[in-house]
Amino acid sequence: MSDHVRDLASVREATDRLLAAVGTLDNAAVAGPSRLPGWTRGHVLAHLARNADALVNVLEGRPMYESAQARDADIDRDAPRGLREQLGDVQESAQRFQRLGAEEADWARTVELRNGVKDLASNVPFRRWIEVELHHVDLGIGYELEDLSPEFTQREINFLAKRFRDHPGLPPLLIKQDDGRMISTGAVQKLTMEEIKDGAPLPPLGIVVKGHQADILGWLAGRRDGGSLTVDRGSLPDLPPL
């Protein structure tokens, strides 16, 4: 079970780290390109602020965003702002999220996110932690995937592997980290009880992907092309968009 209190503390620490790093920039740097295609650093910061407000909506039982078009329009509207406005918005929206997270609530309830995705309320703080950490990397200001904590990186690998499990068009995948941990994703061949009793052969192992923790996360999260990974029993597949 998710520990939402601990995750909220981690979100606060990650946000403070991001704000301190962004605070060293200037207006020109904020207007410069991020690592996300077509987005400036201002787009990334605007998205982070609006995402905090969107998750407040989720926890309060409202639609996460009015619409996909409204979400994109809000980001485009806020992206050109200067450093001071961006910092203030990210900080204030983060505080709104933290204040709501500190209130007494039924954290075991189910909430609805974008595109009809449902999850436990207790998992929302971790989803926010993902946003803050990965978009800090996306800013391209010296914070890399290797700087993420091992705990966060492993949880995000597990989260993404679960998200891609049974995804149409993905072959069976076995991910092996250099510390020996393994996790499967992609298509999974399931055997019925009758097949098991009849001694049916085990499902094929599938493609085996090996690498360092940060490189595996980078590939699963669409931040790296997987060129540093070792692949056995096939070639590295294209992952569906997140």
Side-chain angles (χ1 to χ4, degrees), residues 34 42 44 46 54 63 78-79 85-86 91 108 110-111 117 131 158 160 166 177 185 199 211 215 217 238-239:
S34 74
V44 176
D78 295 341
E85 288 179 283
Q86 296 284 12
Q91 184 174 46
T110 298
V111 295
V117 173
E131 293 287 328
N158 295 345
L160 291 170
D166 290 332
Q177 297 175 196
T185 190
D215 289 327
L217 172 58
D238 293 326
L239 295 173

Side-chain angles (χ1 to χ4, degrees), residues 2-23:
S2 174
D3 182 347
H4 73 277
V5 175
R6 188 163 176 263
D7 285 347
L8 282 166
S10 297
V11 172
R12 185 183 298 109
E13 292 169 3
T15 303
D16 289 346
R17 192 161 50 242
L18 179 143
L19 288 169
V22 173

Side-chain angles (χ1 to χ4, degrees), residues 135-172:
H135 286 313
H136 192 168
V137 174
D138 293 334
L139 289 170
I141 55 176
Y143 191 66
E144 304 296 340
L145 293 173
E146 285 79 6
D147 296 316
L148 300 170
S149 71
E151 177 202 356
F152 170 83
T153 303
Q154 188 61 56
R155 286 181 64 184
E156 176 64 345
I157 287 172
N158 295 345
F159 177 83
L160 291 170
K162 182 178 179 180
R163 185 168 178 173
F164 291 135
R165 195 164 293 137
D166 290 332
H167 197 288
L170 268 185

Side-chain angles (χ1 to χ4, degrees), residues 22-216:
V22 173
T24 66
L25 305 178
D26 56 23
N27 288 338
V30 171
S34 74
R35 290 173 172 174
L36 296 177
W39 272 19
T40 65
R41 294 189 181 97
H43 281 89
V44 176
L45 294 171
H47 165 63
L48 276 170
R50 300 289 69 79
N51 172 262
D53 287 338
L55 291 176
V56 166
N57 288 338
V58 167
L59 291 175
E60 291 186 336
R62 296 187 296 274
M64 186 168 180
Y65 294 102
E66 181 181 330
S67 67
Q69 294 76 15
R71 169 188 176 273
D72 295 344
D74 285 347
I75 294 171
D76 288 338
R77 178 198 65 209
D78 295 341
R81 298 175 303 180
L83 173 63
R84 181 173 296 181
E85 288 179 283
Q86 296 284 12
L87 280 173
D89 195 14
V90 172
Q91 184 174 46
E92 290 165 12
S93 59
Q95 289 171 345
R96 288 191 289 271
F97 178 75
Q98 289 287 342
R99 283 196 297 269
L100 181 60
E103 294 180 4
E104 291 291 331
D106 176 14
W107 288 95
R109 72 191 187 279
T110 298
V111 295
E112 184 170 332
L113 296 108
R114 290 181 69 194
N115 304 319
V117 173
K118 292 182 170 59
D119 202 352
L120 295 178
S122 59
N123 290 330
V124 171
F126 179 64
R127 286 178 176 270
R128 177 60 182 174
W129 191 10
I130 294 169
E131 293 287 328
V132 176
E133 291 284 37
L134 292 188
H135 286 313
H136 192 168
V137 174
D138 293 334
L139 289 170
I141 55 176
Y143 191 66
E144 304 296 340
L145 293 173
E146 285 79 6
D147 296 316
L148 300 170
S149 71
E151 177 202 356
F152 170 83
T153 303
Q154 188 61 56
R155 286 181 64 184
E156 176 64 345
I157 287 172
N158 295 345
F159 177 83
L160 291 170
K162 182 178 179 180
R163 185 168 178 173
F164 291 135
R165 195 164 293 137
D166 290 332
H167 197 288
L170 268 185
L173 294 169
L174 180 65
I175 298 171
K176 289 185 175 183
Q177 297 175 196
D178 53 5
D179 61 3
R181 281 181 283 194
M182 296 184 289
I183 188 169
S184 62
T185 190
V188 178
Q189 181 181 329
K190 299 175 182 177
L191 300 180
T192 66
M193 288 303 298
E194 289 73 18
E195 289 174 322
I196 294 173
K197 291 176 182 177
D198 291 340
L202 292 175
L205 184 63
I207 298 170
V208 181
V209 179
K210 306 174 186 176
H212 297 299
Q213 193 185 47
D215 289 327
I216 290 171

